[in-house]
Amino acid sequence: RKEMEDGIPLPGLKVPFRTSAPPALDAEAPSKTSSYYSFSPADGWRVCVLDPYEISIMSHGGGRPGVDEVTLEPGAVSWCQENNPNDITKEDFARGIPPGEARRWVPLNGAVSEQQLIWLEETLELASKKNEETIILSHVVLLPEATPGQNGLTLLWNYDKVLQVLRSAERPPTAVLCGHAHLMVNSRDQVSGTHHVTLPTPVEANPGSDACAVVEAFSNGLLKIRGRGDVLSSTL
């Protein structure tokens, strides 16, 4: 994790690959190597990038538990295992768990720390004072209804705490954009009014098709997703 925050030199890249903000974004973050940060792409808008794997069984790096030889994070393993009746280090870790929020306790998900929650709350508060609309980016889904079929399988472990921050903001985010589930879902939080869009993956797009989009932000607070292929266009 520290190596990815600092930057890893890779062949063909002019700058190191990193999970921290690229210098060109002029981001606001707890530190230069923080894996979560915010930036303003244009006047009146702020993008908050979360790290949904800040707490994860694979925080030390590695591959698939039960398949590859990896060093697991014991605290995260314990937390996940306490909420899952199966052995989470085996491939059938979701066996017998009915669709819903309880299914989130699987090793392919993670959680944000209390420090990140505080940072998010303060960032949303500052954005409101600056009269900025906000967009949240998170690989892991933050709303149960935004998982495919509301199955909960790709839901953040402590999604409820993140939702509490978003819902209590003076100006809740306009949208939350996620991935992870590999399927398209467009939902809306009935409490805050925030749109939660789960985007499909191009990895599973049919040959000759695609799964990408351009998101346009307007001064009146509207967002337009101009999708291509498996990504459906919409106005938020």
Side-chain angles (χ1 to χ4, degrees):
R1 169 168 289 273
K2 187 178 186 305
E3 291 177 343
M4 293 183 69
E5 290 174 350
D6 292 337
I8 302 174
L10 293 174
L13 294 183
K14 295 181 179 180
V15 296
F17 173 80
R18 67 179 70 212
T19 56
S20 53
L25 288 181
D26 191 25
E28 296 181 8
S31 69
K32 291 183 178 180
T33 59
S34 174
S35 54
Y36 51 91
Y37 52 90
S38 77
F39 63 96
S40 176
D43 289 343
W45 285 94
R46 179 158 299 277
V47 177
C48 300
V49 180
L50 304 187
D51 178 5
Y53 288 110
E54 186 182 11
I55 300 173
S56 163
I57 73 168
M58 291 181 283
S59 294
H60 297 302
R64 299 162 295 174
V67 179
D68 303 314
E69 186 175 347
V70 296
T71 300
L72 303 180
E73 170 57 47
V77 170
S78 177
W79 189 17
C80 185
Q81 188 64 78
E82 287 173 0
N83 294 279
N84 189 321
N86 304 306
D87 184 345
I88 67 166
T89 65
K90 306 299 182 182
E91 286 195 274
D92 59 350
F93 46 70
R95 176 173 47 86
I97 304 176
E101 298 168 17
R103 223 175 193 194
R104 73 187 188 275
W105 294 104
V106 291
L108 53 85
N109 298 322
V112 301
S113 68
E114 289 296 326
Q115 291 82 0
Q116 188 172 171
L117 286 169
I118 293 172
W119 169 83
L120 177 59
E121 183 176 16
E122 293 176 345
T123 299
L124 293 177
E125 182 180 355
L126 182 60
S128 179
K129 291 179 179 179
K130 291 182 176 181
N131 203 31
E132 293 177 330
E133 302 288 348
T134 53
I135 301 170
I136 307 295
L137 303 184
S138 169
H139 180 75
V140 182
V141 182
L142 305 182
L143 183 74
E145 292 82 0
T147 59
Q150 300 185 36
N151 62 21
L153 187 62
T154 51
L155 190 63
L156 192 78
W157 288 346
N158 59 347
Y159 80 93
D160 51 336
K161 289 191 174 183
V162 177
L163 281 183
Q164 185 178 359
V165 171
L166 302 185
R167 289 169 173 173
S168 61
E170 182 177 350
R171 177 180 286 187
T174 300
V176 174
L177 306 181
C178 300
H180 196 36
H182 291 197
L183 295 172
M184 183 82 191
V185 182
N186 195 330
S187 186
R188 191 172 189 180
D189 184 0
Q190 296 303 309
V191 177
S192 65
T194 298
H195 295 270
H196 287 250
V197 181
T198 303
L199 299 167
T201 174
V203 175
E204 296 181 6
N206 292 326
S209 185
D210 207 340
C212 62
V214 172
V215 178
E216 296 180 333
F218 296 86
S219 58
N220 61 359
L222 284 179
L223 286 177
K224 282 191 176 181
I225 298 178
R226 300 190 183 276
R228 189 170 70 180
D230 292 345
V231 178
L232 302 178
S233 297
S234 60
T235 299
L236 311 179

